[in-house]
Amino acid sequence: MLTAEQIVAAQKANIETIFGLTQKAFEGVEKLLELNVQATKAALSESANSTQALLSVKDAQELLTLQASLMQPLAEKTVAYSRHLYDIASGTSAEFGKAAEAQAADAQKKFMSVVDNASKNAPAGSETAVAVMKSAVSAANNAMESVQKAVKQATEMAEANFNTVTTQAVSATKAAAKKR
């Protein structure tokens, strides 16, 4: 059924997919490293500035005011870092998802081609078995599409929840800073 050229072409496509996914994974790691380097540089700079400010405090009231003024930006930066981290992870994950969907669609097409070829060369009287096989493949494809839709909906819901929690955290931090 499958020729040597078809097998070689399939293996070549699989290798290209693997290298493409590896490249996307490294891009994600690179973005993560860049984010962490920037966050570390900013933290060191802010730590030096905060230390200088703490050393210049003259009384307890000034210390409390300084502490309050340092907490809100820290919370906001933590939320921003988390958001950026989430964006990197979800972007990389989306690339992997697209590749998986493309591979699945290609595999489905190839399998249907094999089934069609087999049905053309099937002996007389096997029409029912071929129809059952095609029906099973169609049902599997529909189930796969349903799962993909459910995963997308769950991902969208998780992102909405993350955004809600992030907004609430920033609001709570601002409210706490105003009370001080």
Side-chain angles (χ1 to χ4, degrees), residues 12 20 39 45 70 106 109 112 123 136 138 158-159 161 180:
K12 184 178 178 182
S45 175
L70 295 177
D106 188 47
K109 287 178 188 175
M112 284 306 292
S138 177
E159 185 169 355
N161 288 341
R180 292 180 187 188

Side-chain angles (χ1 to χ4, degrees), residues 16-129:
E16 287 173 3
T17 300
I18 289 170
F19 281 119
L21 290 175
T22 302
Q23 179 67 30
K24 293 296 179 189
F26 276 115
E27 287 173 8
V29 169
E30 185 177 43
K31 289 177 184 176
L32 180 62
L33 287 172
E34 183 180 320
L35 173 66
N36 285 334
V37 166
Q38 289 173 353
T40 302
K41 284 181 179 179
L44 286 173
S45 175
E46 290 167 14
S47 177
N49 292 339
S50 297
T51 302
Q52 290 296 338
L54 283 171
L55 292 174
S56 68
V57 168
K58 294 179 177 66
D59 60 20
Q61 182 61 35
E62 192 177 345
L63 178 63
L64 291 175
T65 304
L66 179 63
Q67 279 183 319
S69 71
L70 295 177
M71 292 310 287
Q72 183 178 354
L74 177 64
E76 289 173 356
K77 288 175 186 169
T78 301
V79 167
Y81 175 84
S82 297
R83 180 71 194 160
H84 201 135
L85 186 63
Y86 177 80
D87 288 343
I88 291 170
S90 64
T92 303
S93 176
E95 290 293 329
F96 275 82
K98 287 178 191 175
E101 286 179 19
Q103 285 288 83
D106 188 47
Q108 288 171 358
K109 287 178 188 175
K110 287 178 182 175
F111 186 71
M112 284 306 292
S113 175
V114 169
V115 169
D116 287 339
N117 255 351
S119 66
K120 290 176 187 173
N121 298 324
S126 61
E127 293 84 15
T128 304

